Amino acid sequence: MNRLSTLAAAVLLAAWGASTAARAAVEGACSHDGRRVALIDGVAWLEPRKAEAEVADGIEDQDKPDAPPQPPIRLSFASFPVDAADVARAEDREEAFRDQGFGADGGGRLELTVKDGAVTRQYLWMSPGVNLSYGSNQIGHYTPGAEQAGRVRGAYRFTPQDGQDLDCTVTFDLALLGDVADAPPLPGVPLPPDGGAPGAAYLALNRAIQAGDVDAMLRLLPADRAAELRKAQSSPEFAAMMAFAKAATPTQVHITGGRQDDDRAWVDFTAVEDGSPRVGVAEMKQQDGRWIMLVESTRDP
C-alpha cells in the first residue's frame, strides 16, 4: 500500500485534467463539528468489477442477469487541485487520489460511490483526524446531470440526520477517466540515473534528517517551513519530534532516475522502511534557485 512517508513529517515539525479542454468544474463544501472545507476540484472513474460468488448459501442465484451490471462510478472531490493525470496512470486510483491530499494541511476529500443512479457509499476526510464513512442502498440526494461521453455531471446533497453533525453539498462536471493504458504519459524529460540536481537536493534533506542536522534542514527547506522548524526548536517536545521525523524517513536511499518538467521534478528511488524494501517518488520544486521537496510517497516494490 502506498504510504506518505515523510520527510514532510519533519517539515510538520514546525493531467489529465490539466491538459484536457474541459477541466473539472466543482463547487461545494462539507461541514462537520464546526469546521468547513470547500470542494474545488475532482475526478471520476469506473470502479473495477469485483468477482461475485455464483452461489450463495449453497443455492445458485437463478435471477442473475446474463449481461454484467454497469460498474459503479467513483466520484472523488477535493479541497485542493487534483492531478487527474496522476490518478489516470495509477493502477489503484483511489490510493493515488488520497495520496494527493496528504500535503493539503487543513484540507478535505469527499468520495462517493454511485451505483444504479444512487449514492451507496460516502466517505469524508478532513485534515486532521476526521474520517466519516456511510454505506447503504441510498445515501443523501443524488441528481445526475445531462449525459455526455467521457464526463459525469450532477449534484449531491447530504443533510444532517439521526443527530449527525455533517452537511455536504456539491455540484460537479467531471472528466470520466478511461483505461490506464490510455492515460497520458508522465510529463517532462528523464532525469539522469542519479537524479541530477533534484536528486541531490532530495538526498541532502534525507541525510540531514537522519543526522538530526537542523542547520542543514533549515538550508534545504522552503522559507515558510524553515520558519516553522525554527519556531519548533524552542518547544520542549522538539527532541521527540526530531526522533519521530527520523523514524518516519526512509533509509538506504538509492536514486534510480525520475523526470523533470520545467521547475518540477519527480525523483524515483529505492529505500528501506521498518526493515522492508520500498520504492518511492519525491516530488521536488525549484524555488529561489534551489530544489525543495514538496512531498514524498513510498510503496511496496
Side-chain angles (χ1 to χ4, degrees):
M1 170 178 270
N2 227 8
R3 180 173 72 84
L4 220 41
S5 81
T6 75
L7 289 180
V11 173
L12 288 180
L13 288 179
W16 213 348
S19 60
T20 53
R23 283 184 56 83
V26 175
E27 184 175 352
C30 286
S31 300
H32 171 71
D33 195 24
R35 296 174 54 196
R36 179 182 184 276
V37 292
L39 303 173
I40 64 168
D41 203 357
V43 67
W45 63 87
L46 297 179
E47 291 192 335
R49 292 189 179 93
K50 295 180 180 179
E52 298 182 359
E54 295 290 327
V55 178
D57 297 329
I59 302 175
E60 186 175 354
D61 185 358
Q62 300 294 335
D63 297 327
K64 181 179 174 66
D66 293 333
Q70 177 72 13
I73 299 175
R74 171 62 64 86
L75 306 178
S76 298
F77 306 100
S79 65
F80 48 86
V82 176
D83 184 346
D86 177 68
V87 178
R89 288 188 292 266
E91 293 292 341
D92 188 332
R93 289 175 168 172
E94 178 179 344
E95 189 171 58
F97 171 74
R98 292 185 175 184
D99 277 354
Q100 292 186 26
F102 282 100
D105 294 341
R109 304 186 310 264
L110 174 66
E111 302 172 30
L112 306 175
T113 298
V114 179
K115 184 176 181 181
D116 299 327
V119 172
T120 57
R121 180 177 176 273
Q122 171 184 294
Y123 172 75
L124 175 67
W125 169 79
M126 297 173 69
S127 175
V130 175
N131 293 274
L132 299 173
S133 183
Y134 301 97
S136 179
N137 59 354
Q138 182 172 329
I139 301 171
H141 304 279
Y142 176 70
T143 306
E147 294 186 5
Q148 179 182 344
R151 301 201 70 80
V152 182
R153 296 166 168 160
Y156 177 71
R157 177 75 188 271
F158 181 92
T159 55
Q161 54 185 320
D162 300 330
Q164 299 160 346
D165 181 18
L166 175 61
D167 194 326
C168 286
T169 302
V170 61
T171 59
F172 57 90
D173 179 353
L174 304 177
L176 182 64
L177 302 184
D179 292 337
V180 172
D182 299 325
L186 288 165
V189 296
L191 288 169
D194 63 359
Y202 167 70
L203 280 178
L205 181 57
N206 178 278
R207 291 166 179 164
I209 294 173
Q210 290 292 343
D213 188 341
V214 178
D215 289 338
M217 291 171 61
L218 290 171
R219 293 192 297 269
L220 295 164
L221 291 172
D224 58 340
R225 296 180 181 178
E228 292 179 4
L229 182 58
R230 289 190 184 94
K231 183 179 179 180
Q233 283 183 280
S234 61
S235 168
E237 292 85 20
F238 184 70
M241 295 164 71
M242 285 294 295
F244 172 78
K246 180 177 179 179
T249 301
T251 61
Q252 301 181 40
V253 173
H254 175 69
I255 305 295
T256 58
R259 301 184 70 83
Q260 180 177 343
D261 185 20
D262 194 25
D263 64 347
R264 300 293 283 268
W266 296 265
V267 177
D268 298 329
F269 62 89
T270 62
V272 172
E273 289 181 334
D274 300 326
S276 300
R278 304 283 281 178
V279 294
V281 178
E283 183 177 351
M284 312 291 291
K285 179 178 177 62
Q286 196 170 33
Q287 189 175 86
D288 300 327
R290 61 198 179 106
W291 286 96
I292 60 172
M293 193 191 72
L294 299 179
V295 69
E296 172 197 60
S297 62
T298 65
R299 60 178 174 81
D300 291 333

